[in-house]
mmCIF file of all heavy atoms in Angstrom:
data_model
loop_
_atom_site.group_PDB
_atom_site.id
_atom_site.type_symbol
_atom_site.label_atom_id
_atom_site.label_comp_id
_atom_site.label_asym_id
_atom_site.label_seq_id
_atom_site.Cartn_x
_atom_site.Cartn_y
_atom_site.Cartn_z
ATOM 1 N N PHE R 208 -18.724 68.385 62.323
ATOM 2 C CA PHE R 208 -18.346 69.332 61.279
ATOM 3 C C PHE R 208 -16.925 69.827 61.470
ATOM 4 O O PHE R 208 -16.160 69.975 60.521
ATOM 5 C CB PHE R 208 -19.326 70.507 61.283
ATOM 6 C CG PHE R 208 -19.301 71.270 60.016
ATOM 7 C CD1 PHE R 208 -19.884 70.756 58.875
ATOM 8 C CD2 PHE R 208 -18.667 72.493 59.948
ATOM 9 C CE1 PHE R 208 -19.845 71.457 57.683
ATOM 10 C CE2 PHE R 208 -18.635 73.200 58.761
ATOM 11 C CZ PHE R 208 -19.230 72.673 57.626
ATOM 12 N N ARG R 209 -16.553 70.083 62.718
ATOM 13 C CA ARG R 209 -15.201 70.551 62.979
ATOM 14 C C ARG R 209 -14.178 69.464 62.697
ATOM 15 O O ARG R 209 -13.018 69.732 62.497
ATOM 16 C CB ARG R 209 -15.081 71.016 64.438
ATOM 17 C CG ARG R 209 -15.737 72.358 64.697
ATOM 18 C CD ARG R 209 -15.335 72.858 66.063
ATOM 19 N NE ARG R 209 -13.887 72.942 66.154
ATOM 20 C CZ ARG R 209 -13.202 74.067 66.050
ATOM 21 N NH1 ARG R 209 -13.830 75.203 65.834
ATOM 22 N NH2 ARG R 209 -11.898 74.062 66.158
ATOM 23 N N ALA R 210 -14.641 68.226 62.716
ATOM 24 C CA ALA R 210 -13.717 67.131 62.378
ATOM 25 C C ALA R 210 -13.566 66.991 60.871
ATOM 26 O O ALA R 210 -13.220 65.935 60.373
ATOM 27 C CB ALA R 210 -14.214 65.835 62.997
ATOM 28 N N ASP R 211 -13.882 68.070 60.165
ATOM 29 C CA ASP R 211 -13.622 68.153 58.722
ATOM 30 C C ASP R 211 -14.533 67.300 57.850
ATOM 31 O O ASP R 211 -14.168 66.933 56.744
ATOM 32 C CB ASP R 211 -12.159 67.776 58.409
ATOM 33 C CG ASP R 211 -11.303 69.026 58.272
ATOM 34 O OD1 ASP R 211 -11.904 70.126 58.155
ATOM 35 O OD2 ASP R 211 -10.069 68.914 58.300
ATOM 36 N N ALA R 212 -15.664 66.973 58.332
ATOM 37 C CA ALA R 212 -16.606 66.255 57.470
ATOM 38 C C ALA R 212 -17.467 67.249 56.714
ATOM 39 O O ALA R 212 -17.454 68.438 57.003
ATOM 40 C CB ALA R 212 -17.472 65.339 58.324
ATOM 41 N N GLY R 213 -18.210 66.792 55.750
ATOM 42 C CA GLY R 213 -19.104 67.676 54.999
ATOM 43 C C GLY R 213 -20.368 67.952 55.788
ATOM 44 O O GLY R 213 -20.639 67.345 56.811
ATOM 45 N N LEU R 214 -21.168 68.888 55.285
ATOM 46 C CA LEU R 214 -22.397 69.271 56.004
ATOM 47 C C LEU R 214 -23.373 68.099 56.047
ATOM 48 O O LEU R 214 -23.996 67.823 57.064
ATOM 49 C CB LEU R 214 -23.038 70.478 55.319
ATOM 50 C CG LEU R 214 -24.264 71.019 56.073
ATOM 51 C CD1 LEU R 214 -23.851 71.598 57.412
ATOM 52 C CD2 LEU R 214 -24.989 72.056 55.252
ATOM 53 N N GLY R 215 -23.476 67.400 54.908
ATOM 54 C CA GLY R 215 -24.421 66.281 54.856
ATOM 55 C C GLY R 215 -24.084 65.229 55.892
ATOM 56 O O GLY R 215 -24.941 64.752 56.628
ATOM 57 N N SER R 216 -22.776 64.908 55.981
ATOM 58 C CA SER R 216 -22.364 63.894 56.947
ATOM 59 C C SER R 216 -22.629 64.371 58.376
ATOM 60 O O SER R 216 -23.060 63.599 59.228
ATOM 61 C CB SER R 216 -20.876 63.579 56.758
ATOM 62 O OG SER R 216 -20.302 63.265 57.988
ATOM 63 N N ALA R 217 -22.370 65.669 58.605
ATOM 64 C CA ALA R 217 -22.590 66.216 59.948
ATOM 65 C C ALA R 217 -24.056 66.085 60.340
ATOM 66 O O ALA R 217 -24.378 65.695 61.462
ATOM 67 C CB ALA R 217 -22.150 67.678 59.995
ATOM 68 N N LEU R 218 -24.954 66.410 59.412
ATOM 69 C CA LEU R 218 -26.388 66.320 59.719
ATOM 70 C C LEU R 218 -26.791 64.886 59.999
ATOM 71 O O LEU R 218 -27.587 64.611 60.891
ATOM 72 C CB LEU R 218 -27.201 66.871 58.550
ATOM 73 C CG LEU R 218 -27.219 68.393 58.431
ATOM 74 C CD1 LEU R 218 -28.034 68.826 57.232
ATOM 75 C CD2 LEU R 218 -27.769 69.030 59.690
ATOM 76 N N LEU R 219 -26.211 63.970 59.231
ATOM 77 C CA LEU R 219 -26.558 62.557 59.432
ATOM 78 C C LEU R 219 -26.115 62.083 60.802
ATOM 79 O O LEU R 219 -26.868 61.427 61.537
ATOM 80 C CB LEU R 219 -25.869 61.730 58.344
ATOM 81 C CG LEU R 219 -26.642 60.502 57.872
ATOM 82 C CD1 LEU R 219 -27.950 60.960 57.237
ATOM 83 C CD2 LEU R 219 -25.819 59.725 56.858
ATOM 84 N N VAL R 220 -24.865 62.428 61.139
ATOM 85 C CA VAL R 220 -24.331 62.039 62.452
ATOM 86 C C VAL R 220 -25.179 62.655 63.557
ATOM 87 O O VAL R 220 -25.522 62.001 64.556
ATOM 88 C CB VAL R 220 -22.858 62.485 62.583
ATOM 89 C CG1 VAL R 220 -22.414 62.387 64.035
ATOM 90 C CG2 VAL R 220 -21.970 61.639 61.702
#
Side-chain angles (χ1 to χ4, degrees):
Chain R
F208 199 74
R209 285 191 57 102
D211 263 346
L214 185 66
S216 147
L218 284 179
L219 213 63
V220 167

